[in-house]
Amino acid sequence: RRFFLKLSNKERDIEWASRWDVYVLTSDDQIHWFSNINSFMIVLFLTGMVAMILLRTLRADLHRYREMENVDEAQDETGWKLVHGDVFRSPQYPMLLSIFAGTGVQIFSTSLTTMMFAVLGFLSPTNHGLVTTLVCSFVFMGSLGGYFSARLYKLFKGQEIKKNLFWTSVLFPGTVFFIFFFLNMVLAFHGSSGAVPFGTLVAMIALWFGISVPLTFFGGYFGNIKPVEEIKVRTNHIPRQIPDQVWYIQPMFSILMGGILPFGAVFIEMFFIFSSIWLHQFYFIFGFLAIVFIILILTC
């Protein structure tokens, strides 16, 4: 059998700037509005809960201080003042915390820069502008990650600043790259057309080690030479013993709850973004995405 394809051109009264509207305009705006309202209610709930806890705690402590009969009783610390001498104590793994903090600043700066370009209309739906801008922004924001990582590590009186900057530049990008490389190898093995070419992988490695890593050390140099701010609160020499906590205050449960709430604020928009990446669709609703991004910042 033979199949023939016939093409015909029809002239339309469509402006050149509006040629992509048929692809980028969506008809499911109600889903995005529902996501924004849901995220906004989460922010209101968290704000009210935190404000209520702070007001009750501070009011009870102030009432207790007013009822103290003499100065000796006032000098005995109670309530939330018990931990003021341990707040600025160096953690058990100061380098790991500095690396995660610097990487977090880098990711946040990347997201903010990409969002600004998207809202201003600089990202085109024709050439995967979202992914390209994300990668390039992350590469150039390595200087901010190195700066804040070095600043925090110096605050903890760390001595291995070069090791800290090296791991800041390779820990998160390396983890993401090896996961991506493994998935890409699976696609290439099965002959999928969605596999990234080898030349693109080499270009990503060149951007990583040729630009991102040097910029991380560049920013870390300025973060290291800048004097750290003097901490006004004196740290106790002996750490205060932490009593046994109930199950819902354990670290693992707190970490899970701390991640579920921000995820609940953005999961609907993330679904559309990943659908556009993996299903070769166009995501161009950056106004909704900007609103969700602001709500995510407030939630965190």
Side-chain angles (χ1 to χ4, degrees):
R1 295 182 179 181
R2 293 184 178 182
F3 297 92
F4 297 94
L5 179 64
K6 184 179 180 181
L7 299 177
S8 60
N9 296 325
K10 292 184 179 181
E11 208 172 319
R12 300 291 180 89
D13 296 332
I14 300 177
E15 298 292 335
W16 175 260
S18 305
R19 66 191 186 280
W20 285 97
D21 289 353
V22 66
Y23 301 105
V24 301
L25 293 180
T26 58
S27 59
D28 54 353
D29 291 345
Q30 293 182 354
I31 299 178
H32 298 277
W33 282 118
F34 173 77
S35 171
N36 293 336
I37 295 174
N38 176 56
S39 304
F40 185 69
M41 295 303 297
I42 292 176
V43 172
L44 287 181
F45 171 73
L46 291 177
T47 304
M49 184 175 60
V50 172
M52 183 179 62
I53 293 174
L54 289 178
L55 287 176
R56 291 184 60 182
T57 303
L58 294 177
R59 185 178 301 173
D61 287 343
L62 292 175
H63 181 70
R64 189 183 302 113
Y65 296 149
R66 293 193 187 100
E67 293 180 348
M68 290 182 178
E69 297 180 355
N70 51 44
V71 180
D72 293 335
E73 291 183 2
Q75 291 179 352
D76 295 334
E77 297 173 348
T78 58
W80 53 274
K81 287 190 174 182
L82 288 172
V83 297
H84 82 278
D86 297 283
V87 172
F88 292 99
R89 183 181 306 280
S90 180
Q92 185 177 4
Y93 302 102
M95 180 177 294
L96 190 61
L97 177 61
S98 303
I99 292 171
F100 286 162
T103 303
V105 171
Q106 187 175 359
I107 295 174
F108 175 77
S109 304
T110 301
S111 304
L112 185 62
T113 305
T114 307
M115 190 64 60
M116 291 176 57
F117 279 106
V119 172
L120 294 176
F122 290 112
L123 299 186
S124 173
T126 61
N127 53 6
H128 301 285
L130 180 63
V131 178
T132 304
T133 307
L134 277 173
V135 173
C136 294
S137 299
F138 185 83
V139 167
F140 288 102
M141 292 302 167
S143 56
L144 291 179
Y147 176 82
F148 285 97
S149 178
R151 291 282 294 162
L152 187 60
Y153 188 64
K154 188 177 181 180
L155 179 65
F156 295 141
K157 298 179 174 56
Q159 302 298 325
E160 299 177 310
I161 185 65
K162 294 181 180 179
K163 182 179 179 181
N164 173 72
L165 293 175
F166 171 77
W167 284 111
T168 302
S169 61
V170 301
L171 181 60
F172 177 76
T175 303
V176 174
F177 178 80
F178 281 113
I179 294 176
F180 175 78
F181 182 78
F182 173 76
L183 296 177
N184 190 71
M185 289 294 294
V186 173
L187 292 176
F189 177 77
H190 289 282
S192 173
S193 60
V196 177
F198 178 76
T200 304
L201 295 177
V202 174
M204 293 176 61
I205 296 176
L207 288 173
W208 179 14
F209 287 98
I211 299 178
S212 181
V213 174
L215 284 178
T216 303
F217 278 85
F218 179 76
Y221 169 78
F222 287 98
N224 188 43
I225 63 174
K226 185 176 181 180
V228 296
E229 297 181 2
E230 182 181 357
I231 299 176
K232 305 297 182 182
V233 181
R234 181 177 58 86
T235 304
N236 297 332
H237 294 287
I238 301 177
R240 182 176 293 276
Q241 185 177 3
I242 301 175
D244 295 334
Q245 304 294 327
V246 293
W247 63 272
Y248 54 84
I249 310 182
Q250 296 295 329
M252 186 56 64
F253 185 80
S254 301
I255 292 172
L256 291 176
M257 290 302 299
I260 288 175
L261 291 176
F263 175 77
V266 300
F267 76 96
I268 295 181
E269 290 299 324
M270 294 300 296
F271 167 77
F272 287 102
I273 292 176
F274 283 113
S275 296
S276 66
I277 294 175
W278 294 105
L279 301 180
H280 301 285
Q281 299 174 353
F282 296 114
Y283 182 89
F284 218 67
I285 320 174
F286 295 116
F288 287 109
L289 186 60
I291 297 175
V292 173
F293 183 69
I294 295 173
I295 295 176
L296 175 63
I297 296 175
L298 296 177
T299 306
C300 295

